[in-house]
Amino acid sequence: YNLSRITLLREFCLAVGIQLGLRDYVFESAHRSSGSTNVRQSFYDEDIMNLFPVIKYVSHHASDAYQHFSRGQAEIAQGNLSEGYELLSEAVSLLTHVYGPLHPDIAACNRLLARLTYLMSDHQTALVYQHRATLIAERVHGVDDAALIGEYSH
């Protein structure tokens, strides 16, 4: 295989969490001179500058919640507001169980529920949902995020 040894070293270090010092590393392991074998070491203890943890995780995906969210949007598009409201409420519940209370998708669901309840002439509930969506977006994205301006304007 025609691999660059320095590239292989870099990938290995990234995979196991080792930070090496910057220098030219010699990868030739044995030099033969007059019949004896002199082995030159490629790495020394001083070459390791830092060790860092490599965190591996599986990202969760709430497929049932996203199905409810999509079906709710379809019901709203067809004019079935109450069915859409029920599906979106169930989507918020499922998303909260999977991701916890702070997640961008929960903010999006609350924002859609706010618009929907406003269209259904339940203005107090619409304010509650929009306030919840804004608070979640503030905590997830930060107060200086450009997308948060849209939350404040609704």
Side-chain angles (χ1 to χ4, degrees), residues 1 7 20 45 68 80 94 98 115 118 139 153:
Y1 305 110
T7 304
L20 294 177
D45 293 339
H68 279 77
N80 302 326
L94 291 171
V98 172
R115 289 182 190 147
Y118 184 80
R139 291 191 176 114
S153 66

Side-chain angles (χ1 to χ4, degrees), residues 102-113:
L102 298 176
H103 194 270
D105 294 338
I106 296 172
C109 266
N110 279 313
R111 186 179 325 111
L112 188 56
L113 280 169

